[in-house]
Amino acid sequence: MAAITAVSDLKPFKTMWKIRVKIISLWKQYSAAGGLTIEMVLIDSNDVKINTSVKKDLAHQFDSFLTQGSSKILLNFSLNPSYGSYRTTIHPYIIGFLWITRVKSCDDLPEALTGYEPVNYMDILDGTLSTDYLVDVIGQIVELTPIEVVSANGKETHKLTVELRNEKDERLSMVLWGNFATDVSDAIQGRGDNAIICVLRFQKSMLSERGLQTRSSKDPFHGIL
């Protein structure tokens, strides 16, 4: 029986790997070039994360075996360099499923193993963090603009700008889009006297005329408390 390898030790010189991981995020996305794919962020018991992609030719084969929050043993997969400006982890490689990949059930990894790592506001605002990596953010909503309907990529969508405050009273401007913008707007309208705390996963930091802002990604990684 092959030994379990730590995610941090994965390298692209072979495919006969075996890892035990928890699926902390899973979403499906469609592109004209790649078709429908399954994208995941996995974490192992050492709290190390790695992005994973199941391409269109294999998505149907593995769909029923993969659920967010479940723990799995994965065997026999490829590793390719991770690149681009929307990377979900700092791991240098991304797992790719193959025809020989196997997914097995296993004992659950701890529930507290979420991989959530909220960033320091000042690391965003002073440009310390690379904008190629998506970040986790938490803060209290203290200001917002009226929700707008704008044109983006040839389609109309909702846009909401909010300002978050952390425990040090530092402020971070954020632009939220689509259904997430309307969900946040509705939550704020119905809050009464209660504070609204936003907990967001995998958000995009970007430069704008108002400075560095965090813009909500198109994938459903965010929540509102």
Side-chain angles (χ1 to χ4, degrees):
M1 181 68 69
I4 298 289
T5 300
V7 167
S8 59
D9 292 334
L10 294 175
K11 301 290 189 301
F13 62 83
K14 67 176 186 177
T15 60
M16 306 301 286
W17 295 107
K18 179 181 180 181
I19 57 174
R20 182 181 176 218
V21 290
K22 181 179 180 181
I23 304 172
I24 58 173
S25 287
L26 181 152
W27 69 101
K28 297 176 183 178
Q29 65 183 33
Y30 179 85
S31 68
L36 181 68
T37 64
I38 301 173
E39 307 295 327
M40 296 180 289
V41 180
L42 310 178
I43 191 169
D44 70 2
S45 58
N46 298 318
D47 211 22
V48 178
K49 294 174 286 188
I50 188 168
N51 186 236
T52 305
S53 183
V54 185
K55 301 304 183 184
K56 62 178 181 180
D57 294 341
L58 299 174
H60 179 73
Q61 176 181 334
F62 289 102
D63 190 15
S64 62
F65 298 99
L66 304 169
T67 56
Q68 185 166 306
S70 63
S71 296
K72 302 291 182 181
I73 290 177
L74 301 186
L75 302 99
N76 310 333
F77 46 83
S78 66
L79 289 154
N80 301 295
S82 178
Y83 57 88
S85 58
Y86 284 83
R87 280 175 273 180
T88 54
T89 78
I90 62 172
H91 201 288
Y93 302 109
I94 178 173
I95 289 175
F97 274 37
L98 305 168
W99 291 105
I100 59 171
T101 299
R102 296 293 178 265
V103 179
K104 296 184 177 182
S105 297
C106 63
D107 293 338
D108 288 339
L109 289 169
E111 186 175 346
L113 193 67
T114 65
Y116 185 71
E117 299 177 283
V119 296
N120 185 307
Y121 282 16
M122 293 311 299
D123 287 342
I124 296 178
L125 296 171
D126 65 14
T128 299
L129 296 179
S130 169
T131 57
D132 286 340
Y133 297 93
L134 305 183
V135 298
D136 300 338
V137 179
I138 185 171
Q140 179 188 357
I141 295 177
V142 290
E143 290 187 20
L144 73 157
T145 62
I147 197 164
E148 304 174 69
V149 177
V150 299
S151 178
N153 297 322
K155 297 181 179 180
E156 288 192 343
T157 188
H158 291 92
K159 174 185 175 183
L160 178 68
T161 302
V162 302
E163 187 173 81
L164 298 183
R165 175 176 65 191
N166 64 11
E167 72 281 359
K168 299 177 183 178
D169 201 31
E170 296 165 340
R171 307 298 177 98
L172 181 66
S173 178
M174 303 185 64
V175 181
L176 311 177
W177 300 90
N179 292 336
F180 189 42
T182 55
D183 288 347
V184 171
S185 179
D186 291 345
I188 293 170
Q189 297 302 320
R191 70 183 175 183
D193 295 329
N194 298 318
I196 298 292
I197 306 298
C198 258
V199 180
L200 305 108
R201 299 212 69 170
F202 306 134
Q203 305 300 300
K204 176 67 174 175
S205 295
M206 56 191 304
L207 287 167
S208 76
E209 359 182 273
R210 298 179 58 191
L212 264 171
Q213 297 186 29
T214 301
R215 185 167 82 176
S216 170
S217 72
K218 62 183 178 182
D219 302 314
F221 294 144
H222 25 246
I224 310 168
L225 296 181

